[in-house]
Amino acid sequence: MVITLPSVAYGFELKDIDNSLINLFILLTLLSFIPAVLVMFTSFTRIVVVLAFLRQAIGGQQIPPTPVIIGLSLFLTLYVMSPVVNNVQANAITPYLNEEITFGEALQKATPPFKDFMLRQTREKDLALFVDLARIKNVKTKEDLPLRVVVPAFTISELRTAFEIGFLLYLPFLVIDMVVSSVLLSLGMMMLPPVIISLPFKLLLFVLVDGWNLTIGSLIRSFQ
């Protein structure tokens, strides 16, 4: 004989358990997408690519180390995205934690701030490309576009901007490499790698012009 105890006796109903399990499953699924959200929805891509270009231009191999570049990129991303994060926290996260809105409503309120940020940084040409590929018509405003269009357009726009900044960073260091190579060639020192000689001069130039201050300042202003 099977004895079935009523769920009311425990102070809750089975549907409450089902809803809690569903919300927990959705939350865990979203947490697995946090790395993708960090890379594709924020300023992280542009910042980390520019810093990687800078390290390559200096020619310091693994200096600064990769963990330093990633850590600096994360904190700079948090700095740039702080207005968006504050908006999401005030309008979506806090009301959800206070049980004022449902989980679905919280997601709906959290999406527009990120979308607005991405649209401000996205080129019209890149946005038009994915709108055309998705065969979307009769869109009145850019805010009505789905994330499947906005996110890839934003990403390739960020990569283009990062490559433009990286090119400008490369130029002064490339001049130093060319000068050092010409001097070594004229002295007949063809067996000596030019990188060994040019690296101290590039580091000296970067320190004298306060390169980190200029680079980080210009990088953050590029989002404004």
Side-chain angles (χ1 to χ4, degrees), residues 64-168:
T66 300
V68 174
I69 290 182
I70 298 298
L72 180 59
S73 300
L74 287 173
F75 277 97
L76 291 178
T77 299
L78 181 61
Y79 180 84
V80 173
M81 300 298 297
S82 57
V84 177
V85 173
N86 292 337
N87 190 340
V88 172
Q89 182 177 2
N91 297 323
I93 298 178
T94 301
Y96 173 71
L97 295 178
N98 295 334
E99 299 182 353
E100 298 174 0
I101 58 176
T102 63
F103 187 76
E105 292 174 341
L107 285 180
Q108 293 179 354
K109 291 180 178 294
T111 302
F114 282 99
K115 184 184 289 187
D116 292 341
F117 171 81
M118 289 187 286
L119 289 174
R120 289 199 305 269
Q121 306 300 327
T122 305
R123 297 191 310 158
E124 295 288 343
K125 184 177 181 180
D126 296 330
L127 201 59
L129 170 65
F130 287 96
V131 170
D132 182 65
L133 292 176
R135 303 183 184 277
I136 297 178
K137 298 180 180 180
N138 301 325
V139 178
K140 296 182 180 180
T141 61
K142 295 188 295 184
E143 287 73 15
D144 297 332
L145 292 173
L147 286 177
R148 64 187 177 93
V149 170
V150 176
V151 172
F154 167 73
T155 302
I156 64 174
S157 295
E158 287 293 278
L159 289 175
R160 176 188 171 90
T161 304
F163 274 54
E164 292 174 348
I165 299 175
F167 172 76
L168 297 176

Side-chain angles (χ1 to χ4, degrees), residues 174-220:
L174 180 61
V175 171
I176 294 177
D177 285 332
M178 294 177 62
V179 171
V180 171
S181 298
S182 300
V183 172
L184 292 178
L185 184 61
S186 63
L187 294 176
M189 304 173 63
M190 293 178 291
M191 301 300 296
L192 183 63
V195 177
I196 298 178
I197 305 301
S198 62
L199 179 58
F201 291 100
K202 289 190 287 187
L203 292 176
L204 179 62
L205 172 65
F206 195 70
V207 172
L208 289 178
V209 300
D210 201 2
W212 286 112
N213 186 286
L214 292 176
T215 302
I216 299 303
S218 300
L219 191 55
I220 292 178

